[in-house]
């Protein structure tokens, strides 16, 4: 699989200076953690789940979570498990199909070895598990269960803990909770693919819900948690993890209070005015702004609950030609001693030592999402990815 792999090769050639790389579920963890992109959630109870997965893969989705937790009723857990086993068997019987990276969101540690056993040979299609309401106390049993299931099945399985518990939100317990989470995920570093943020749960603790005109960063109590999570768990010194962006809840807005947040000129330049109107109508201007703020705050990828959110996440994850040029210049071997240089675009200063970690992360993102051609912006990437 590859990002933008659903687009015709000749279109990719026009869009990309460097095309996204191909990868599989067996690729190195460092590559997969960066490649998760827009992780699409789906209730595990969907009766045609296997068909849904195949269709979404054809539309450019590269990672999915099949949920047995908050997205389904308590009474539907057992039927959901049974449905997952059937749907995985269905997928496994389609040898020509390469599904996205598939994860199961469970409720209890006991579900992990049980589901791995029941999946049988179809476990080869499973990449891991999403662990809810993760703290050190609640999370370690999940990680132990995952390790045991991995050993018994012979299949590499990753964990994606969800940071969403009230203890993480409350000021008096936040640092202690983060320290505990750090200990837990640090002990199982090779198994933790990414950390996911449960912003909806954060908001629920205070009876809040952000409007479609607002981003998670406009809700100050949520923004403070994101900052502290990145501060302690997203460092670029080798101790950090990939932290993914929070879910965007909206896909159509009947009425808005504030002006749209998308400038007209990028769309006018490529004759895509109707695309701008469509994005605004479906609240995508707010989503695009939140994705940009995710990236500015050290997050990569995003939890998604609607297929229409996938392409915006991926389009804004593509590295611009200018970013790529700067990153390459900063990492040139002859620059190992540091120093300052003017960018090739002659519009900024690149300071080699302070910008080195940024450059390394940018080149990793370039590997999995590609590098746009010099004259290609996010509007062209969005327009090209929309099914005709």
């Amino acid at each position: 699989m590859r990002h933008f792999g659903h687009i015709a090769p000749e279109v990719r050639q026009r869009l990309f200076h460097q095309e996204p790389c191909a990868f599989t579920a067996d690729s190195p963890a460092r590559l997969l953690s960066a490649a998760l992109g827009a992780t699409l959630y789906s209730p595990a109870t969907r009766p045609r789940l296997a068909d849904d997965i195949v269709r979404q893969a054809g539309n450019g989705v590269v990672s999915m979570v099949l949920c047995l937790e908050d997205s389904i009723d308590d009474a539907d857990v057992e039927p959901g498990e049974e449905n997952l086993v059937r749907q995985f068997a269905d997928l496994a019987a389609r040898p020509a199909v390469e599904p996205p990276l598939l994860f199961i969101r469970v409720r209890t540690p006991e579900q992990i070895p049980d589901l791995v056993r029941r999946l049988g040979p179809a476990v080869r299609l499973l990449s891991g598990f999403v662990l809810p309401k993760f703290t050190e106390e609640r999370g370690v049993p999940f990680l132990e269960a995952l390790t045991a299931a991995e050993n018994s099945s012979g299949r590499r399985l990753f964990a994606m803990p969800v940071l969403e518990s009230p203890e993480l939100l409350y000021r008096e317990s936040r640092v202690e909770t983060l320290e505990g989470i750090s200990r837990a995920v640090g002990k199982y570093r090779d198994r933790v693919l990414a950390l996911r943020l449960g912003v909806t749960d954060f908001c629920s603790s205070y009876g809040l819900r952000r409007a479609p005109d607002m981003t998670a960063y406009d809700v100050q109590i949520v923004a403070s948690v994101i900052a502290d999570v990145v501060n302690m768990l997203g460092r670029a010194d080798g101790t950090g993890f990939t932290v993914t962006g929070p879910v965007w809840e909206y896909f159509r807005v009947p009425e808005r209070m504030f002006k749209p947040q998308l400038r007209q000129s990028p769309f006018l330049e490529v004759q895509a005015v109707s695309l701008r109107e469509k994005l605004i109508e479906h609240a995508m201007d707010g989503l695009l702004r939140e994705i940009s703020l995710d990236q500015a705050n050290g997050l990569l990828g995003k939890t998604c609950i609607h297929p229409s959110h996938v392409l915006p996440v991926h389009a804004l994850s593509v590295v611009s030609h200018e970013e790529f040029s700067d990153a390459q210049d900063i990492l040139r071997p002859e620059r190992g001693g540091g120093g300052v240089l003017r960018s090739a675009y002659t519009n900024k200063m690149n300071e080699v030592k302070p910008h080195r970690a940024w450059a390394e992360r940018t080149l990793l993102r370039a590997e999995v999402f590609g590098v746009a051609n010099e004259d290609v912006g996010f509007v062209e990437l969005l327009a090209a990815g929309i099914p005709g």
Side-chain angles (χ1 to χ4, degrees):
M1 69 190 87
R2 72 169 76 226
H3 285 290
F4 298 93
H6 63 302
I7 295 177
E10 62 272 17
V11 177
R12 289 204 307 270
Q13 188 174 12
R14 174 173 57 82
L15 293 173
F16 288 99
H17 170 77
Q18 174 184 299
E19 290 195 24
C21 71
F23 57 93
T24 71
D26 297 317
S27 294
R30 179 173 177 270
L31 188 74
L32 292 182
S33 68
L36 287 167
T39 301
L40 184 64
Y41 274 54
S42 175
T45 51
R46 291 180 67 88
R48 299 183 64 84
L49 186 57
D51 292 335
D52 295 341
I53 290 169
V54 172
R55 183 172 64 257
Q56 296 304 337
N59 290 333
V61 173
V62 304
S63 64
M64 289 185 70
V65 173
L66 314 175
C67 185
L68 289 165
E69 210 226 357
D70 285 348
S71 69
I72 66 172
D73 190 272
D74 294 348
D76 290 333
V77 175
E78 286 190 20
E81 292 176 344
E82 293 168 2
N83 187 55
L84 275 182
V85 173
R86 286 195 302 270
Q87 301 295 334
F88 266 80
D90 184 344
L91 276 177
R94 308 185 195 191
V97 171
E98 183 181 29
L101 304 172
L102 297 177
F103 301 85
I104 298 174
R105 185 178 184 180
V106 291
R107 294 186 175 209
T108 67
E110 294 75 23
Q111 287 177 294
I112 293 176
D114 181 57
L115 283 168
V116 167
R117 177 186 58 79
R118 291 163 64 183
L119 287 174
V123 75
R124 66 180 175 80
L125 302 177
L126 181 66
S127 290
F129 291 88
V130 174
L131 314 180
K133 299 171 178 60
F134 192 93
T135 63
E136 182 178 29
E137 181 180 359
R138 288 194 295 268
V140 168
F142 279 101
L143 292 168
E144 290 174 344
L146 181 137
T147 302
E150 182 181 69
N151 292 336
S152 65
S153 67
R155 169 68 182 163
R156 182 180 70 169
L157 296 171
F158 288 112
M160 290 201 291
V162 185
L163 310 186
E164 56 187 346
S165 64
E167 300 98 313
L168 187 57
L169 185 64
Y170 300 152
R171 182 173 183 177
E172 67 271 19
S173 55
R174 184 180 304 173
V175 172
E176 182 181 354
T177 302
L178 279 169
E179 288 174 343
I181 291 170
S182 180
R183 286 191 296 269
V185 296
K187 182 178 178 181
Y188 292 87
R189 174 171 295 276
D190 292 342
R191 299 279 65 81
V192 176
L193 191 62
L195 304 176
R196 312 200 72 88
L197 288 166
V199 163
T200 301
D201 281 60
F202 289 156
C203 289
S204 73
S205 296
Y206 288 86
L208 303 175
R209 185 175 191 177
R210 70 189 187 277
D213 295 304
M214 304 286 178
T215 71
Y217 301 91
D218 294 310
V219 184
Q220 291 300 300
I221 196 165
V222 169
S224 71
V225 182
I226 295 174
D228 286 344
V229 167
V230 174
N231 190 326
M232 293 188 68
L233 298 170
R235 299 177 185 179
D237 60 0
T239 66
F241 296 83
T242 294
V243 183
T244 65
V247 68
W248 180 258
E249 299 177 349
Y250 298 94
F251 40 90
R252 192 173 183 88
V253 180
E255 183 180 13
R256 63 170 64 237
M257 182 182 301
F258 301 108
K259 289 182 178 180
Q261 301 178 69
L262 283 177
R263 291 173 55 239
Q264 294 186 32
S265 54
F267 295 86
L268 289 170
E269 290 169 6
V270 295
Q271 298 181 338
V273 175
S274 62
L275 173 59
R276 179 178 181 271
E277 293 172 353
K278 183 178 180 181
L279 291 170
I280 292 170
E281 179 186 357
H282 291 82
M284 296 298 180
D285 54 326
L287 170 62
L288 291 168
R289 176 166 173 75
E290 185 165 284
I291 296 166
S292 298
L293 288 169
D294 287 341
Q295 294 175 357
N297 284 278
L299 310 184
L300 180 60
K302 199 167 186 65
T303 296
C304 293
I305 47 83
H306 196 273
S308 64
H309 298 170
V310 172
L311 180 58
V313 174
H314 292 170
L316 266 69
S317 297
V318 173
V319 173
S320 71
H321 188 273
E322 181 174 345
E323 289 176 308
F324 185 65
S325 173
D326 288 341
Q328 283 193 313
D329 283 348
I330 290 165
L331 294 177
R332 292 189 190 284
E334 63 268 25
R335 300 290 180 186
V340 177
L341 61 151
R342 185 177 64 172
S343 74
Y345 276 69
T346 68
N347 60 358
K348 72 178 74 65
M349 173 194 73
N350 289 326
E351 195 168 352
V352 174
K353 288 184 177 178
H355 289 146
R356 185 174 187 84
W358 169 85
E360 290 170 346
R361 293 181 70 167
T362 298
L363 290 190
L364 178 59
R365 183 160 56 92
E367 185 175 358
V368 294
F369 289 102
V371 178
N373 269 321
E374 193 168 358
D375 59 345
V376 170
F378 77 94
V379 176
E380 292 95 325
L381 292 163
L382 279 171
I386 296 174

